[in-house]
Amino acid sequence: MKRLFAIVLALMMVLSLGVVAFADEETAEEEVVVEYPLADDGIMTVVPLTEDNLGIFTAEGTYSDDGSVTYEGIEQVCYKLPETYSLSETILIHATGTSADNFRIFLVNESGWSRASEVTTVEAGDFDLWIEITVEDAESKGVIETYQFNFKGSSSGAVISAITISSVEILKGSTEDYIVAGRVNCGLTGHTVDEHTSNNDATCTSDGTKIGVCSVCGEEVTVTDEGTALGDSFTNYVSNNDATCISDGTMTAECDNGCGETDTVTDEGTATGHNYENGVCTNCGAEGSDYSAFPTTAVVIVIIVVVVAVAVILVISPW
């Protein structure tokens, strides 16, 4: 009986191992293959923003039905590109989304620790980036190829508090290749505006703006209307009533354009000149050049002399 039990137990163990092996084989055959569809323009290739497509640096994200993914409190996250790119090959990347913090994007090698391109720094806020990147050994660490695209904090160890990646598209080629293929994208090539209308908002010191409609995408585009600064204009001068006997006064005007600036100039020919009475100017108190106290003194002396003479005569007179 014991022998029979041992035989049955052995058969069960063999069967169990067979099932496990078969299950492992099945799992191996079910390896996930990520598809990279063409974008709407038929030129760019869409990089799937899925957990299956994460590269060497992974992070836990929140995936939305619209294909976007949101990460919170991460240092970096990588995505696999459609294929492997070798040194000197150029790719055009179009990435959209929004970030609460500044961040950097660049290509990395297979291990993820060496950069395979220069860094592009992106400011916080919404982003719609077209980046032409050439694969290179950016840090001289022997990089020969790349297949990963990295979103990383603004500096070493910096955390991106929140970033939503809405889309990433790749073109194996340059910006020029994209344009030659017959594609026009305002985010890449700039808007095409044939006619602008002034907003009449120039000031004395700043050029105004003008607005037009892009003939490609229909977006209203506002640009600086170069050379339209008005400059200050002064025409209505009012006297400051500050002329003196010997100096012209001043007059002041406010800018005709209403900017509040003022201009003060000499009010030519307004010096009043002296008005002398008894040799002294009644306006400023200055003494005239021909004024002298001598006449009064002379009169006093004459009177004294006369008085003394009369007194002497009276004294010596026999009367």
Side-chain angles (χ1 to χ4, degrees):
M1 185 66 179
K2 289 182 179 179
R3 181 178 297 178
L4 179 61
F5 178 75
I7 293 173
V8 172
L9 182 59
L11 289 174
M12 290 178 64
M13 291 177 64
V14 170
L15 182 61
S16 297
L17 290 172
V19 170
V20 170
F22 180 76
D24 288 342
E25 184 177 341
E26 285 291 309
T27 301
E29 291 177 356
E30 292 178 1
E31 181 179 353
V32 176
V33 177
V34 178
E35 295 184 359
Y36 294 81
L38 284 177
D40 292 339
D41 60 15
I43 300 296
M44 307 291 282
T45 300
V46 177
V47 175
L49 302 175
T50 62
E51 192 170 10
D52 295 329
N53 201 42
L54 286 172
I56 191 70
F57 295 115
T58 63
E60 185 175 346
T62 302
Y63 297 88
S64 301
D65 293 339
D66 61 5
S68 66
V69 58
T70 299
Y71 298 99
E72 295 183 356
I74 64 165
E75 288 190 21
Q76 60 187 325
V77 64
C78 281
Y79 277 93
K80 299 173 186 175
L81 298 176
E83 59 182 281
T84 298
Y85 303 95
S86 302
L87 287 178
S88 301
E89 286 191 319
T90 299
I91 62 176
L92 179 64
I93 296 178
H94 180 211
T96 65
T98 186
S99 177
D101 306 294
N102 294 354
F103 65 96
R104 297 173 294 167
I105 51 180
F106 50 88
L107 303 177
V108 292
N109 70 340
E110 183 177 356
S111 70
W113 292 107
S114 298
R115 286 192 292 110
S117 76
E118 291 301 319
V119 171
T120 296
T121 299
V122 185
E123 293 185 355
D126 296 338
F127 58 88
D128 187 345
L129 308 170
W130 291 84
I131 311 169
E132 184 177 293
I133 299 181
T134 299
V135 181
E136 58 183 284
D137 187 8
E139 298 173 306
S140 301
K141 293 184 178 179
V143 173
I144 59 174
E145 61 185 17
T146 181
Y147 69 93
Q148 297 182 92
F149 184 60
N150 195 24
F151 294 81
K152 187 174 175 62
S154 58
S155 60
S156 179
V159 171
I160 307 174
S161 59
I163 183 171
T164 296
I165 307 169
S166 299
S167 66
V168 175
E169 298 172 332
I170 302 293
L171 171 71
K172 185 176 183 180
S174 64
T175 302
E176 184 62 27
D177 293 329
Y178 182 82
I179 296 172
V180 168
R183 295 298 183 266
V184 179
N185 185 290
C186 296
L188 176 62
T189 60
H191 293 290
T192 301
V193 180
D194 300 320
E195 185 176 346
H196 291 89
T197 301
S198 174
N199 290 318
N200 298 313
D201 54 356
T203 68
C204 294
T205 56
S206 301
D207 290 333
T209 59
K210 57 185 179 180
I211 192 169
V213 178
C214 178
S215 58
V216 176
C217 67
E219 181 178 335
E220 287 190 344
V221 180
T222 299
V223 297
T224 300
D225 196 359
E226 300 289 346
T228 57
L230 303 174
D232 292 314
S233 174
F234 303 103
T235 56
N236 299 312
Y237 286 90
V238 178
S239 173
N240 293 316
N241 297 314
D242 54 356
T244 67
C245 295
I246 58 174
S247 300
D248 289 334
T250 60
M251 54 184 180
T252 300
E254 289 191 4
C255 179
D256 300 331
N257 300 322
C259 72
E261 288 294 317
T262 60
D263 183 47
T264 299
V265 297
T266 300
D267 195 0
E268 302 289 346
T270 57
T272 59
H274 293 297
N275 178 38
Y276 293 110
E277 290 185 9
N278 299 322
V280 178
C281 179
T282 59
N283 296 324
C284 67
E287 297 177 346
S289 59
D290 58 346
Y291 171 76
S292 174
F294 176 76
T296 302
T297 304
V299 170
V300 171
I301 293 173
V302 170
I303 293 173
I304 293 173
V305 171
V306 171
V307 170
V308 170
V310 171
V312 170
I313 292 172
L314 290 175
V315 169
I316 65 176
S317 173
W319 306 329

